[in-house]
Amino acid sequence: MALARLLTQVENDSPEGRAALAELFPYTGKAHLIGVTGAPGTGKSSLVNQLALHYRKIGDQRVAIVAVDPSSPFTGGAVLGDRVRMRDLAGDEGVFIRSMATRGSLGGIAQKTASVVQVFDAAGYEIILIETVGAGQSEVDVARLAHTTLVVEAPGLGDEIQAIKAGILEIADVLVINKADRPGVENTERALRSTLELAHPMKRVSPALAGGARVRHHGQAMTVATPETDSRIWIPPINKTVATEGKGIEEVAASIARHAGHLRQNGDWQRRDRARLESELELLLREELMDRFLERIPQEAYDELIENVVNRNISPYEAVRSLLNSK
Ligand SMILES: Nc1nc2c(ncn2[C@@H]2O[C@H](COP(=O)(O)OP(=O)(O)O)[C@@H](O)[C@H]2O)c(=O)[nH]1
Ligand SMILES: [Mg+2]
Protein backbone atom coordinates (compact mmCIF):
# COMPACT_ATOMS: atom_id res chain seq x y z
CA MET A 1 0.00 0.00 0.00
CA ALA A 2 1.28 3.49 -0.80
CA LEU A 3 2.48 5.38 2.26
CA ALA A 4 0.05 8.29 1.97
CA ARG A 5 -2.93 5.97 1.66
CA LEU A 6 -1.72 3.82 4.52
CA LEU A 7 -1.39 6.90 6.71
CA THR A 8 -4.96 7.90 5.91
CA GLN A 9 -6.25 4.43 6.75
CA VAL A 10 -4.38 4.49 10.03
CA GLU A 11 -5.57 7.99 10.87
CA ASN A 12 -9.15 6.99 10.17
CA ASP A 13 -8.70 3.92 12.29
CA SER A 14 -10.26 1.81 9.53
CA PRO A 15 -10.14 -2.00 9.68
CA GLU A 16 -7.49 -1.92 6.93
CA GLY A 17 -5.52 0.60 8.95
CA ARG A 18 -5.65 -1.56 12.02
CA ALA A 19 -4.62 -4.64 10.12
CA ALA A 20 -1.70 -2.78 8.56
CA LEU A 21 -0.57 -1.46 11.94
CA ALA A 22 -0.58 -4.96 13.36
CA GLU A 23 1.53 -6.19 10.47
CA LEU A 24 4.10 -3.44 10.60
CA PHE A 25 4.38 -3.13 14.37
CA PRO A 26 7.27 -5.63 14.67
CA TYR A 27 9.32 -3.33 12.44
CA THR A 28 8.93 -0.29 14.67
CA GLY A 29 11.21 0.87 17.46
CA LYS A 30 14.16 2.01 15.37
CA ALA A 31 13.45 5.70 14.73
CA HIS A 32 14.48 8.63 16.88
CA LEU A 33 11.23 10.38 17.77
CA ILE A 34 11.76 14.08 18.34
CA GLY A 35 8.93 16.21 19.70
CA VAL A 36 8.93 19.94 19.02
CA THR A 37 6.54 22.01 21.07
CA GLY A 38 6.00 25.59 22.19
CA ALA A 39 3.59 28.49 21.89
CA PRO A 40 2.13 29.42 18.48
CA GLY A 41 4.42 31.63 16.41
CA THR A 42 7.65 30.77 18.22
CA GLY A 43 8.97 29.26 14.99
CA LYS A 44 8.45 25.54 15.49
CA SER A 45 7.60 24.83 11.86
CA SER A 46 10.56 26.88 10.66
CA LEU A 47 12.86 25.04 13.05
CA VAL A 48 11.52 21.62 12.07
CA ASN A 49 12.02 22.57 8.43
CA GLN A 50 15.65 23.49 9.08
CA LEU A 51 16.31 20.39 11.13
CA ALA A 52 14.92 18.23 8.32
CA LEU A 53 17.21 19.96 5.81
CA HIS A 54 20.11 19.46 8.19
CA TYR A 55 19.51 15.73 8.63
CA ARG A 56 19.17 15.29 4.88
CA LYS A 57 22.47 17.04 4.35
CA ILE A 58 24.65 15.42 6.98
CA GLY A 59 23.79 11.77 6.96
CA ASP A 60 21.25 11.23 4.26
CA GLN A 61 18.81 10.08 6.91
CA ARG A 62 15.18 9.78 5.96
CA VAL A 63 13.04 12.30 7.79
CA ALA A 64 9.31 12.29 8.54
CA ILE A 65 7.53 15.38 9.80
CA VAL A 66 4.25 15.01 11.63
CA ALA A 67 2.48 18.30 12.31
CA VAL A 68 -0.25 18.35 14.96
CA ASP A 69 -1.90 21.70 15.52
CA PRO A 70 -5.43 21.62 16.91
CA SER A 71 -5.45 25.40 17.37
CA SER A 72 -4.81 26.06 13.72
CA PRO A 73 -7.95 27.30 11.96
CA PHE A 74 -7.03 25.98 8.53
CA THR A 75 -8.17 22.60 7.31
CA GLY A 76 -6.28 20.57 4.81
CA GLY A 77 -4.16 23.47 3.66
CA ALA A 78 -0.98 24.70 5.21
CA VAL A 79 -0.08 27.61 7.46
CA LEU A 80 2.84 29.78 6.52
CA GLY A 81 5.46 27.62 8.19
CA ASP A 82 4.18 24.57 6.41
CA ARG A 83 4.16 26.31 3.05
CA VAL A 84 7.76 27.38 3.47
CA ARG A 85 8.52 23.83 4.51
CA MET A 86 6.84 22.39 1.45
CA ARG A 87 8.85 24.68 -0.79
CA ASP A 88 12.21 23.92 0.79
CA LEU A 89 11.72 20.21 0.98
CA ALA A 90 9.65 19.67 -2.15
CA GLY A 91 10.97 17.00 -4.45
CA ASP A 92 13.09 15.33 -1.78
CA GLU A 93 11.90 11.75 -1.53
CA GLY A 94 13.73 11.29 1.75
CA VAL A 95 11.32 13.65 3.48
CA PHE A 96 7.67 12.96 4.12
CA ILE A 97 5.43 15.61 5.64
CA ARG A 98 2.12 14.76 7.22
CA SER A 99 -0.31 17.23 8.75
CA MET A 100 -2.67 15.50 11.12
CA ALA A 101 -6.37 16.13 10.87
CA THR A 102 -7.04 17.36 14.35
CA ARG A 103 -10.74 17.08 14.80
CA GLY A 104 -11.76 15.02 17.76
CA SER A 105 -10.61 14.67 21.31
CA LEU A 106 -7.06 15.43 22.39
CA GLY A 107 -6.67 11.85 23.53
CA GLY A 108 -7.77 10.70 20.09
CA ILE A 109 -5.19 12.91 18.44
CA ALA A 110 -2.44 11.55 20.64
CA GLN A 111 -3.45 8.02 19.73
CA LYS A 112 -3.59 8.78 16.02
CA THR A 113 -0.27 10.55 16.14
CA ALA A 114 1.26 7.52 17.84
CA SER A 115 -0.09 5.29 15.06
CA VAL A 116 1.11 7.56 12.27
CA VAL A 117 4.54 7.67 13.89
CA GLN A 118 4.60 3.87 13.97
CA VAL A 119 3.93 3.76 10.24
CA PHE A 120 6.86 6.08 9.53
CA ASP A 121 9.08 4.16 11.93
CA ALA A 122 8.31 0.85 10.24
CA ALA A 123 8.75 2.45 6.81
CA GLY A 124 12.35 3.17 7.72
CA TYR A 125 12.30 6.87 8.53
CA GLU A 126 15.18 7.24 10.98
CA ILE A 127 14.23 10.71 12.18
CA ILE A 128 10.63 11.57 13.03
CA LEU A 129 9.93 15.17 13.97
CA ILE A 130 6.57 15.71 15.67
CA GLU A 131 5.43 19.32 15.88
CA THR A 132 2.65 20.20 18.31
CA VAL A 133 1.44 23.51 19.54
CA GLY A 134 1.93 24.14 23.21
CA ALA A 135 -1.54 23.71 24.63
CA GLY A 136 -1.02 21.94 27.90
CA GLN A 137 -2.01 18.32 27.73
CA SER A 138 -0.88 17.90 24.13
CA GLU A 139 2.68 18.85 25.12
CA VAL A 140 2.72 16.22 27.75
CA ASP A 141 1.35 13.68 25.29
CA VAL A 142 4.08 14.47 22.79
CA ALA A 143 6.71 14.28 25.47
CA ARG A 144 5.43 10.83 26.28
CA LEU A 145 5.56 9.84 22.63
CA ALA A 146 8.98 11.27 21.84
CA HIS A 147 12.44 10.20 22.93
CA THR A 148 13.63 13.78 22.86
CA THR A 149 11.43 16.82 23.40
CA LEU A 150 12.42 20.27 22.20
CA VAL A 151 10.66 23.22 23.78
CA VAL A 152 10.80 26.31 21.62
CA GLU A 153 10.63 29.77 23.14
CA ALA A 154 10.98 33.16 21.52
CA PRO A 155 11.82 36.54 23.01
CA GLY A 156 9.06 38.94 23.84
CA LEU A 157 6.18 36.58 24.43
CA GLY A 158 6.06 37.14 28.14
CA ASP A 159 7.85 33.83 28.20
CA GLU A 160 9.45 34.44 31.58
CA ILE A 161 6.11 33.76 33.22
CA GLN A 162 4.76 31.45 30.55
CA ALA A 163 7.53 28.93 30.82
CA ILE A 164 7.18 28.57 34.53
CA LYS A 165 3.41 28.58 34.61
CA ALA A 166 2.98 26.00 31.92
CA GLY A 167 5.44 23.71 33.66
CA ILE A 168 6.79 23.24 30.19
CA LEU A 169 10.37 22.99 31.34
CA GLU A 170 9.59 19.71 33.00
CA ILE A 171 9.12 18.03 29.68
CA ALA A 172 12.00 19.78 27.89
CA ASP A 173 15.09 17.80 26.98
CA VAL A 174 16.43 20.61 24.82
CA LEU A 175 15.45 24.25 25.09
CA VAL A 176 15.54 26.38 21.98
CA ILE A 177 15.33 30.15 22.02
CA ASN A 178 14.35 30.87 18.45
CA LYS A 179 14.16 34.36 16.91
CA ALA A 180 17.52 35.10 18.48
CA ASP A 181 17.70 37.99 16.02
CA ARG A 182 14.99 39.73 18.03
CA PRO A 183 15.53 41.97 21.05
CA GLY A 184 15.04 40.44 24.48
CA VAL A 185 16.96 37.21 23.92
CA GLU A 186 19.08 37.80 27.02
CA ASN A 187 15.98 38.21 29.20
CA THR A 188 14.47 35.03 27.87
CA GLU A 189 17.71 33.14 28.41
CA ARG A 190 18.12 34.47 31.93
CA ALA A 191 14.57 33.50 32.82
CA LEU A 192 15.01 30.01 31.43
CA ARG A 193 18.30 29.49 33.22
CA SER A 194 17.00 30.53 36.60
CA THR A 195 13.96 28.31 36.20
CA LEU A 196 16.19 25.42 35.19
CA GLU A 197 18.44 25.95 38.17
CA LEU A 198 15.45 25.88 40.49
CA ALA A 199 14.41 22.61 38.98
CA HIS A 200 17.79 20.94 39.58
CA PRO A 201 19.49 20.28 42.90
CA MET A 202 22.94 21.13 41.58
CA LYS A 203 22.09 24.74 40.90
CA ARG A 204 24.83 26.23 43.03
CA VAL A 205 27.50 23.84 41.87
CA SER A 206 27.34 25.05 38.33
CA PRO A 207 24.94 27.46 36.74
CA ALA A 208 27.04 26.93 33.62
CA LEU A 209 25.83 23.37 33.43
CA ALA A 210 22.36 24.56 32.69
CA GLY A 211 23.71 25.57 29.34
CA GLY A 212 25.25 22.21 28.74
CA ALA A 213 28.78 23.47 29.38
CA ARG A 214 31.42 21.32 31.00
CA VAL A 215 32.43 21.94 34.58
CA ARG A 216 35.42 20.88 36.63
CA HIS A 217 35.08 19.93 40.24
CA HIS A 218 38.70 20.43 41.32
CA GLY A 219 38.58 17.07 43.02
CA GLN A 220 36.33 18.18 45.84
CA ALA A 221 33.86 15.78 47.41
CA MET A 222 30.44 16.10 45.92
CA THR A 223 27.47 16.27 48.22
CA VAL A 224 24.92 16.93 45.55
CA ALA A 225 24.11 14.93 42.48
CA THR A 226 25.56 16.29 39.25
CA PRO A 227 25.69 14.86 35.76
CA GLU A 228 29.21 13.69 36.68
CA THR A 229 28.20 11.78 39.80
CA ASP A 230 24.90 10.54 38.43
CA SER A 231 24.75 9.66 34.77
CA ARG A 232 20.95 9.63 34.93
CA ILE A 233 20.84 13.38 35.27
CA TRP A 234 20.30 15.36 32.12
CA ILE A 235 20.33 19.14 32.25
CA PRO A 236 18.48 20.53 29.22
CA PRO A 237 20.89 22.63 27.18
CA ILE A 238 19.72 26.00 25.89
CA ASN A 239 20.34 26.62 22.20
CA LYS A 240 19.73 29.87 20.35
CA THR A 241 18.53 29.84 16.76
CA VAL A 242 17.36 32.03 13.93
CA ALA A 243 15.31 29.43 12.12
CA THR A 244 14.47 31.68 9.18
CA GLU A 245 18.19 31.99 8.42
CA GLY A 246 19.23 28.50 9.43
CA LYS A 247 21.42 29.81 12.24
CA GLY A 248 22.17 27.62 15.24
CA ILE A 249 20.60 24.52 13.71
CA GLU A 250 23.78 22.44 13.95
CA GLU A 251 23.98 23.14 17.67
CA VAL A 252 20.39 22.01 18.16
CA ALA A 253 21.05 18.85 16.16
CA ALA A 254 24.15 18.24 18.31
CA SER A 255 22.08 18.63 21.49
CA ILE A 256 19.53 16.17 20.12
CA ALA A 257 22.26 13.66 19.28
CA ARG A 258 23.83 14.09 22.70
CA HIS A 259 20.48 13.48 24.34
CA ALA A 260 19.93 10.30 22.32
CA GLY A 261 23.35 9.10 23.42
CA HIS A 262 22.50 9.90 27.02
CA LEU A 263 19.24 7.96 26.82
CA ARG A 264 20.86 4.93 25.28
CA GLN A 265 23.75 4.92 27.71
CA ASN A 266 21.72 4.82 30.90
CA GLY A 267 18.85 2.66 29.72
CA ASP A 268 16.32 5.47 29.50
CA TRP A 269 15.80 4.80 25.81
CA GLN A 270 14.23 1.43 26.65
CA ARG A 271 12.47 2.82 29.70
CA ARG A 272 10.82 5.56 27.67
CA ASP A 273 9.88 3.07 24.99
CA ARG A 274 8.29 0.84 27.56
CA ALA A 275 6.43 3.66 29.32
CA ARG A 276 5.12 4.89 25.99
CA LEU A 277 3.85 1.50 24.90
CA GLU A 278 2.34 0.86 28.30
CA SER A 279 0.33 4.06 28.22
CA GLU A 280 -0.70 3.39 24.63
CA LEU A 281 -1.94 -0.02 25.62
CA GLU A 282 -3.81 1.39 28.58
CA LEU A 283 -5.45 4.07 26.46
CA LEU A 284 -6.56 1.56 23.84
CA LEU A 285 -7.87 -0.82 26.43
CA ARG A 286 -9.85 1.92 28.10
CA GLU A 287 -11.37 3.01 24.79
CA GLU A 288 -12.19 -0.53 23.75
CA LEU A 289 -13.81 -1.39 27.08
CA MET A 290 -15.82 1.79 26.99
CA ASP A 291 -17.00 1.12 23.42
CA ARG A 292 -17.96 -2.45 24.19
CA PHE A 293 -19.76 -1.46 27.33
CA LEU A 294 -21.75 1.34 25.75
CA GLU A 295 -22.74 -0.91 22.87
CA ARG A 296 -24.77 -2.97 25.30
CA ILE A 297 -26.64 -0.07 26.82
CA PRO A 298 -29.67 1.39 25.05
CA GLN A 299 -29.13 5.02 24.18
CA GLU A 300 -32.37 6.07 25.92
CA ALA A 301 -31.34 4.41 29.15
CA TYR A 302 -28.00 6.17 29.01
CA ASP A 303 -29.57 9.54 28.24
CA GLU A 304 -32.02 9.09 31.08
CA LEU A 305 -29.19 8.38 33.45
CA ILE A 306 -27.36 11.53 32.41
CA GLU A 307 -30.60 13.44 32.94
CA ASN A 308 -30.81 12.01 36.43
CA VAL A 309 -27.30 13.11 37.21
CA VAL A 310 -27.90 16.58 35.78
CA ASN A 311 -31.03 16.89 37.94
CA ARG A 312 -29.03 15.86 40.97
CA ASN A 313 -31.20 12.80 41.55
CA ILE A 314 -28.13 10.59 41.64
CA SER A 315 -24.42 11.28 41.74
CA PRO A 316 -22.09 10.36 38.84
CA TYR A 317 -20.63 7.71 41.10
CA GLU A 318 -24.04 6.13 41.70
CA ALA A 319 -24.80 6.37 38.01
CA VAL A 320 -21.71 4.33 37.18
CA ARG A 321 -22.65 1.75 39.80
CA SER A 322 -26.13 1.39 38.45
CA LEU A 323 -24.77 1.06 34.90
CA LEU A 324 -22.39 -1.67 35.93
CA ASN A 325 -24.99 -3.50 38.00
CA SER A 326 -27.59 -3.43 35.28
CA LYS A 327 -25.42 -5.78 33.23
N1 LIG B 1 12.67 37.14 13.03
C1 LIG B 1 12.47 35.83 13.01
N2 LIG B 1 11.30 35.32 12.59
C2 LIG B 1 11.13 33.98 12.59
C3 LIG B 1 12.14 33.10 13.05
N3 LIG B 1 11.66 31.84 12.96
C4 LIG B 1 10.42 31.92 12.47
N4 LIG B 1 10.08 33.22 12.24
C5 LIG B 1 8.80 33.73 11.71
O1 LIG B 1 7.81 33.60 12.71
C6 LIG B 1 6.56 33.26 12.14
C7 LIG B 1 6.03 31.97 12.75
O2 LIG B 1 6.86 30.89 12.37
P1 LIG B 1 6.37 29.39 12.38
O3 LIG B 1 7.55 28.55 12.07
O4 LIG B 1 5.16 29.21 11.53
O5 LIG B 1 5.96 29.23 13.92
P2 LIG B 1 5.09 28.09 14.66
O6 LIG B 1 3.70 28.62 14.79
O7 LIG B 1 5.72 27.94 16.00
O8 LIG B 1 5.17 26.85 13.85
C8 LIG B 1 6.79 33.15 10.64
O9 LIG B 1 6.41 34.38 10.06
C9 LIG B 1 8.30 32.93 10.53
O10 LIG B 1 8.81 33.40 9.32
C10 LIG B 1 13.40 33.67 13.50
O11 LIG B 1 14.32 32.99 13.92
N5 LIG B 1 13.49 35.04 13.47
MG1 LIG C 1 3.73 25.53 13.05
Side-chain angles (χ1 to χ4, degrees):
M1 205 190 296
L3 189 52
R5 209 172 94 76
L6 177 56
L7 290 167
T8 304
Q9 301 276 20
V10 164
E11 250 193 89
N12 294 342
D13 199 18
S14 69
E16 293 92 335
R18 284 200 179 192
L21 268 182
E23 235 174 276
L24 57 79
F25 186 73
Y27 303 98
T28 64
K30 297 188 190 80
H32 187 184
L33 315 187
I34 304 163
V36 180
T37 192
T42 47
K44 298 177 297 296
S45 296
S46 311
L47 182 70
V48 162
N49 180 27
Q50 292 289 349
L51 281 170
L53 288 169
H54 175 82
Y55 286 121
R56 293 299 294 151
K57 246 190 338 224
I58 56 154
D60 195 29
Q61 303 188 80
R62 292 214 286 160
V63 182
I65 297 171
V66 182
V68 190
D69 190 352
S71 72
S72 172
F74 73 95
T75 46
V79 281
L80 181 66
D82 293 319
R83 267 206 302 274
V84 172
R85 187 144 72 197
M86 300 296 184
R87 198 188 60 211
D88 290 355
L89 299 169
D92 183 349
E93 292 197 347
V95 178
F96 202 107
I97 304 165
R98 185 78 182 183
S99 277
M100 300 284 295
T102 49
R103 249 177 293 159
S105 70
L106 263 183
I109 293 166
Q111 185 54 51
K112 282 177 185 182
T113 306
S115 299
V116 161
V117 164
Q118 280 172 7
V119 172
F120 281 123
D121 189 352
Y125 287 83
E126 290 106 333
I127 302 280
I128 303 177
L129 295 156
I130 310 154
E131 176 188 341
T132 53
V133 76
Q137 188 55 44
S138 65
E139 290 156 7
V140 178
D141 290 338
V142 188
R144 206 171 285 149
L145 184 64
H147 296 105
T148 303
T149 299
L150 271 60
V151 170
V152 185
E153 303 270 347
L157 290 174
D159 20 38
E160 293 82 357
I161 306 117
Q162 254 178 24
I164 301 160
K165 217 163 75 176
I168 199 169
L169 294 187
E170 278 163 39
I171 60 161
D173 298 308
V174 177
L175 282 157
V176 178
I177 304 175
N178 187 45
K179 304 197 181 182
D181 54 329
R182 291 268 182 88
V185 189
E186 297 76 19
N187 287 343
T188 305
E189 191 174 358
R190 207 175 305 125
L192 285 177
R193 277 198 202 289
S194 54
T195 314
L196 270 181
E197 285 162 27
L198 281 177
H200 292 278
M202 34 70 72
K203 59 194 172 201
R204 257 169 314 181
V205 175
S206 166
L209 261 178
R214 292 229 150 263
V215 71
R216 276 169 289 274
H217 296 302
H218 309 296
Q220 72 206 64
M222 302 302 299
T223 51
V224 286
T226 73
E228 279 79 8
T229 60
D230 184 346
S231 68
R232 300 277 308 273
I233 293 180
W234 169 263
I235 307 289
I238 300 175
N239 292 131
K240 282 174 273 187
T241 56
V242 183
T244 38
E245 294 167 26
K247 282 189 190 156
I249 302 304
E250 279 172 29
E251 287 79 0
V252 175
S255 293
I256 293 171
R258 214 156 48 79
H259 184 251
H262 172 84
L263 290 180
R264 288 190 193 279
Q265 204 179 3
N266 66 22
D268 269 351
W269 187 278
Q270 284 90 334
R271 263 189 290 276
R272 283 195 185 201
D273 198 49
R274 189 189 183 90
R276 179 164 50 83
L277 291 173
E278 265 180 22
S279 69
E280 186 179 345
L281 190 70
E282 192 186 306
L283 201 79
L284 282 175
L285 184 60
R286 207 177 291 190
E287 250 171 44
E288 187 73 25
L289 285 174
M290 183 80 175
D291 285 352
R292 282 195 197 182
F293 184 74
L294 288 181
E295 259 168 33
R296 289 151 53 195
I297 294 170
Q299 187 64 43
E300 312 83 65
Y302 192 66
D303 289 345
E304 194 188 317
L305 202 67
I306 292 174
E307 229 21 64
N308 271 322
V309 174
V310 172
N311 293 330
R312 268 55 180 187
N313 294 332
I314 57 169
S315 73
Y317 219 147
E318 287 171 308
V320 170
R321 285 190 83 96
S322 99
L323 276 174
L324 291 173
N325 289 337
S326 72
K327 289 291 98 198

